[in-house]
Amino acid sequence: MKITTEQLTAYFDSKGAKGACPICSTDNWSVTPVAGPDGEVQAGEIALEISTQMVRSHSWVPVLPVVCQNCGFVRMHHTFWIQKWLAEQTDGG
Ligand SMILES: [Zn+2]
């Protein structure tokens, strides 16, 4: 699944997920592009690993890293929540 940075911005806004970096107190976050299985990420798009089956069968969590552009602190968001929200928007809320 590929989503745009605009969709991610809307997601974080809807969750009130704004705020300063807990390390350096600046507020300049950037989503790190994550390549999909095909190794390609379009400009302005991010590929999410969203297979819940993979989550069940392996002990790892698919996450989207968001990086502080001042100090490099990385926060992580479970992509299932992002996928669920995007599906709700597609379904009309
Ligand atoms: Zn920081």
Side-chain angles (χ1 to χ4, degrees), residues 21-26 29 68-73:
C21 173
I23 307 303
C24 71
S25 299
T26 64
W29 298 97
C68 172
Q69 294 301 290
N70 185 48
C71 77
F73 178 76

Side-chain angles (χ1 to χ4, degrees), residues 34-49:
V34 180
D38 59 1
E40 295 182 4
V41 177
Q42 298 297 318
E45 292 183 335
I46 296 111
L48 296 181
E49 280 291 346

Side-chain angles (χ1 to χ4, degrees), residues 2 5 26 32 34 41 50 57 62 65 68-69 77 84:
K2 290 181 180 178
T5 52
T26 64
T32 302
V34 180
V41 177
I50 56 173
S57 59
C68 172
Q69 294 301 290
H77 292 264
K84 180 174 180 288

